[in-house]
Amino acid sequence: MSKVDFKKELKHLYQTSKNVVFVDVPEMKFLMVDGTGDPNKAPGFQEAVAALYGVSFTVKFMFKKQGKLHGYPDWVVPPLEGLWWCEDMKDFNMESKDEWKWTLMIMQPEFVTGEIIDRAVNELKAKKNPPGIAGVRLETFREGLSGQVLHIGPYSAEGPTIERLHNVIREKGYGLRGKHHEIYLSDPRRTAPEKWKTIIRQPCQ
């Protein structure tokens, strides 16, 4: 049985271009961890990333062991995503990130339940017990109408791409709502910063 790749199954959400496009993002399930502060400084950020991937791969391998018996597919763990905001969005800028709040998340197949996540968390605790695991939760999330665009380059250079996205949204007669959303398509450990691919998404109304 071949692996399901949600980036391909949900191509309109996880594969985009440098041109701004509008998508209707349905309700989906995500593992989530919340945090605050500059992601380049806050130790909780990398702990959250490790915990999310740890639980996601534990769930995947739990199903892989029993998939042939119960008809569940194997799948490629989806990319890391992040919601970013400030209490006062006037403070949300690329130069100073100390006041940022964030939710990191990884999408899960619809058949993954809270009970399964609890089992995976307990299994991972018994093996490694990563520091950020206490904050992991399963939650449904729906963004609805959103504009999105592909940014290529380091995260620190996203400013002009974000501005262009917001301008196109306003030009189409929409207003901004919700939280700044990023989807990380590249592994920064294996890819040069100038080649990093990130989907920038902004809910609108």
Side-chain angles (χ1 to χ4, degrees), residues 31-36 39 42-56 80-82 84 102-106 124 130-137:
L31 281 182
M32 296 182 172
V33 177
D34 299 323
T36 60
F45 184 83
Q46 290 302 326
E47 291 174 358
V49 172
L52 283 174
Y53 275 113
V55 176
S56 292
L80 180 71
E81 306 185 33
W84 304 87
W102 41 264
T103 298
L104 296 181
M105 54 195 202
I106 295 178
L124 189 59
I133 198 168
V136 175
R137 69 184 188 278

Side-chain angles (χ1 to χ4, degrees), residues 161-172:
T161 304
I162 295 171
E163 183 177 5
R164 180 164 61 89
L165 171 62
H166 289 183
N167 287 341
V168 171
I169 289 173
R170 293 189 180 102
E171 288 168 3
K172 295 295 184 180

Side-chain angles (χ1 to χ4, degrees), residues 94-95 151 154-166 200:
M94 302 301 292
E95 284 70 40
H151 171 78
Y155 308 134
S156 58
E158 288 177 355
T161 304
I162 295 171
E163 183 177 5
R164 180 164 61 89
L165 171 62
H166 289 183
I200 309 294

